[in-house]
Amino acid sequence: MMLRRLFIIFLLINLQLYNVKSEKAFYTKSTFFTQQDKDYFLHMVERGQTVYSIAKMYNVSLDAVYELNPGSEGGIQAGSELKIPQESGSYFYHTIQSKETLYSVSRMYQMKGEDILDVNQGLSIETFTVGRVIRIPTNRVTTPMEGTNEECNKKITNELLNVSSKVKNDIKSVKTALLIPFGLKEGTTPQNAAGNRMVEYYAGFLLALKDLKKKGISVDLQVYDIGSGVDLLSTILKKTSMQDVDLIIGGLSDKQIKLIAAFSNEKEIPYVIPFTSKTDEPLNYYTVYQISTPQSYLYSKASAAFCNKYKDANIIFYISESSKSKMDFIKTVQKDLTVKKIPYKVVKDENLSSEIQNALSSTKNNVFVPSDDALETLLNLITPLKSVLETIPQTAVSLFGYPAWQIYAAKYSADFFQLNVAFYSIFYANPTSSKVKSFYNNYIQWYSREMINTFPKYGILGYDMGMFFIQLLDKYGTSYDVNVNKPNYSNVQTDFYFERVNNWGGFINTNIYLIEFNSDLAITSNRY
């Protein structure tokens, strides 16, 4: 009798422990570190990622990553592996190994495949690849699929990765909320620079609605002035009308973006960050779409385009001692050139004309890249290069630069064509394009004023975003995320190609243009 009583007590204790929803109750140490029996996992570095962005992605400190990866303070290379500490919390991170499937991973952690997909909204057949990291929830206790045979369970679980079968729910009228910091309620007016850009963006968005109406697409638009802080925004997000919108666009400051991103994630509403590239929210929220490419991704992609285009050229970097604002880009390109075993040279301010002469090749195209995007630096380089063409006309010379150069293009177009100027950019409105000319005329016709001479053109930015995202939602409904790169939108200034930053995060727009001023006086723009 005593033994039976002790057995019952032991059984009750174990059942109680099993039902506790905690990491310790669910994961024993041998299971928790199943891959390497260590308190870290391996992250495969992808192009554009930095130690900072990776640390933010996993919510660990920079120092913790540096401690596990000596030498990473000096930079990391795409394709290398970083040790990332496993830290107690809501998730355990698993690096997908060779021959693993969703079913085998779910069995490993004693849960259903759905449990893993719930916290990895970007997981699919395409993203379930060796070296990719997925989240394993530690705050739930479940059991694997049961009730049928092993082969059937395996097939059902693995087919969950076929996201193309995601059910589409049509959206009859696209309810859109614009949360724009016009600043009108804070005593500012549209005549100031920031306010004027926001008004221009809104004006362009309205032109998109006009053209969408012609296509038979219905839009229910809500527009709010959110000011510069978050108090007004917090009140707006509590409005009944905001709870069931289909699309949110807006926010400018980091605090505003964080607040909107958290709201959109909770309500499962796609949220577009229209203006800034300096935000970490796509790393954490799967509903977020960032238009402006973060600098590390932009530099990485622009460097790849540069190396591909000029791999056979005589590459010469002009490092100005007075202006080096683009040295991060220069270092990225130089590192990529070194990896690809492509030689390059460096010239500096002192005796610049003489250094240029000594660096020239008589048999290759001589490509010059300055360390700054300022007009002064550009002109310092243009003068001696034009002199080279005058004295040695058979010399091939090109000049590679930065997005800001499109501001100078109109005034210095003759020099740009003569020197075969090329530059990378996220945004570009080709002034010779009939599509751009038509938009300019339409804007003036409707608003009786020209757009501000800024880069990018905010009116066109508003138009492109409105046309792209509303057509996306109208066509694909709630399955917009798995079809985000399918719309064949003919853009005016901004093209879109979205990449999910990780299996649980959102998207960033990684499309860039390479703009070229050719000797035949034609301007071409190629996507990369």
Side-chain angles (χ1 to χ4, degrees), residues 220-233:
D220 178 1
L221 181 65
Q222 305 174 34
V223 184
Y224 300 96
D225 178 5
I226 62 174
S228 59
V230 294
D231 292 342
L232 187 58
L233 177 59

Side-chain angles (χ1 to χ4, degrees), residues 298-299 302 306 316-319 323-333 368-375 377-378 381 399-409 416 421-428 455 513-515 517:
L298 178 61
Y299 283 2
F306 176 89
I316 305 164
F317 294 98
Y318 164 44
I319 310 299
S323 53
K324 299 180 181 179
S325 66
K326 295 298 180 182
M327 281 305 296
D328 284 346
F329 174 71
I330 297 294
K331 290 176 181 177
T332 299
V333 177
F368 289 83
V369 188
S371 60
D372 192 89
D373 62 357
L375 179 58
T377 306
L378 177 61
L381 197 50
L399 189 53
F400 186 89
Y402 306 97
W405 284 14
Q406 58 192 288
I407 299 173
Y408 322 135
F416 277 29
V421 165
F423 57 83
Y424 67 89
S425 180
I426 307 170
F427 313 102
Y428 184 66
F455 159 76
Y513 296 110
L514 200 57
I515 315 302
F517 287 71

Side-chain angles (χ1 to χ4, degrees), residues 177 180 199 208 233 240 257 276 289 370 421 423 459 467 474 478 511 514:
I180 307 297
V199 170
L233 177 59
T240 304
I257 291 169
T276 182
Y289 294 76
V421 165
F423 57 83
M467 293 296 291
D474 177 74
T478 53
N511 176 77
L514 200 57

Side-chain angles (χ1 to χ4, degrees), residues 442-460:
N442 198 22
Y443 188 92
I444 293 171
Q445 180 183 345
W446 275 86
Y447 301 113
S448 301
R449 64 173 185 269
E450 294 184 349
M451 285 179 286
I452 311 166
N453 186 26
T454 58
F455 159 76
K457 298 290 185 184
Y458 275 68
I460 309 180

Side-chain angles (χ1 to χ4, degrees), residues 223-394:
V223 184
Y224 300 96
D225 178 5
I226 62 174
S228 59
V230 294
D231 292 342
L232 187 58
L233 177 59
S234 297
T235 302
I236 291 169
L237 293 178
K238 293 175 184 176
K239 289 179 176 289
T240 304
S241 57
M242 282 294 300
Q243 307 310 303
D244 63 346
V245 297
D246 303 307
L247 175 66
I248 300 174
I249 302 176
L252 182 61
S253 71
D254 189 53
K255 289 183 178 179
Q256 289 175 341
I257 291 169
K258 285 181 182 295
L259 191 61
I260 301 171
F263 173 82
S264 75
N265 190 72
E266 178 188 352
K267 302 295 182 180
E268 297 186 328
I269 301 168
Y271 166 43
V272 180
I273 302 173
F275 306 121
T276 182
S277 63
K278 298 177 181 178
T279 177
D280 299 320
E281 300 317 299
L283 297 173
N284 307 306
Y285 296 117
Y286 74 97
T287 54
V288 173
Y289 294 76
Q290 184 174 333
I291 301 301
S292 295
T293 312
Q295 179 176 291
S296 59
Y297 286 88
L298 178 61
Y299 283 2
S300 178
K301 198 159 188 179
S303 175
F306 176 89
C307 293
N308 180 64
K309 180 175 176 60
Y310 298 112
K311 59 182 178 294
D312 298 320
N314 180 36
I315 300 167
I316 305 164
F317 294 98
Y318 164 44
I319 310 299
S320 172
E321 293 301 322
S322 60
S323 53
K324 299 180 181 179
S325 66
K326 295 298 180 182
M327 281 305 296
D328 284 346
F329 174 71
I330 297 294
K331 290 176 181 177
T332 299
V333 177
Q334 290 178 342
K335 186 180 293 185
D336 285 349
L337 290 171
T338 301
V339 170
K340 296 176 182 293
K341 298 181 179 179
I342 301 173
Y344 62 85
K345 301 171 184 175
V346 175
V347 296
K348 298 186 177 180
D349 283 322
E350 190 174 354
N351 300 318
L352 180 59
S353 294
S354 176
E355 286 206 35
I356 287 175
Q357 291 283 350
N358 292 332
L360 290 173
S361 168
S362 59
T363 59
K364 294 183 177 182
N365 180 23
N366 298 279
V367 183
F368 289 83
V369 188
S371 60
D372 192 89
D373 62 357
L375 179 58
E376 181 182 357
T377 306
L378 177 61
L379 295 178
N380 283 346
L381 197 50
I382 284 178
T383 301
L385 292 182
K386 289 175 66 177
S387 177
V388 166
L389 293 178
E390 290 171 4
T391 56
I392 320 173
Q394 67 271 24

